[in-house]
Amino acid sequence: MFFRWRTSRRNEVTMCACEPEWPELRAELDGHEVRGVPSPGGSSPMVLFLGLVATCARCGAVYPHGWAVAGRD
């Protein structure tokens, strides 16, 4: 197994400028957009294993809390 090591997120914006805050989350995986949803219990194992970073779909701010990949509609 290979892990993608997280880079420092020191310079990334974590304040969402949208109203309401965090209207939709997204991440990128192999050039494809992945939709996300907030997860009060922390990030899902798949998100942690793949090292995915969620951002706001509108303003691009980095989501600072736990999240999981949204189910398909």
Side-chain angles (χ1 to χ4, degrees):
M1 285 190 250
F2 296 95
F3 292 95
R4 185 185 327 170
W5 298 104
R6 283 192 169 183
T7 57
S8 173
R9 295 200 278 182
R10 191 176 306 171
N11 296 327
E12 295 178 359
V13 178
T14 58
M15 297 295 293
C16 183
C18 301
E19 187 62 43
E21 275 192 325
W22 310 110
E24 187 178 348
L25 300 177
R26 70 173 175 202
E28 186 176 312
L29 177 63
D30 295 331
H32 298 281
E33 186 174 297
V34 177
R35 289 185 23 222
V37 293
S39 176
S43 292
S44 70
M46 183 174 80
V47 167
L48 295 172
F49 179 76
L50 294 175
L52 298 176
V53 177
T55 59
C56 176
R58 292 185 189 167
C59 70
V62 176
Y63 189 65
H65 307 291
W67 67 283
V69 173
R72 293 185 184 207
D73 293 339

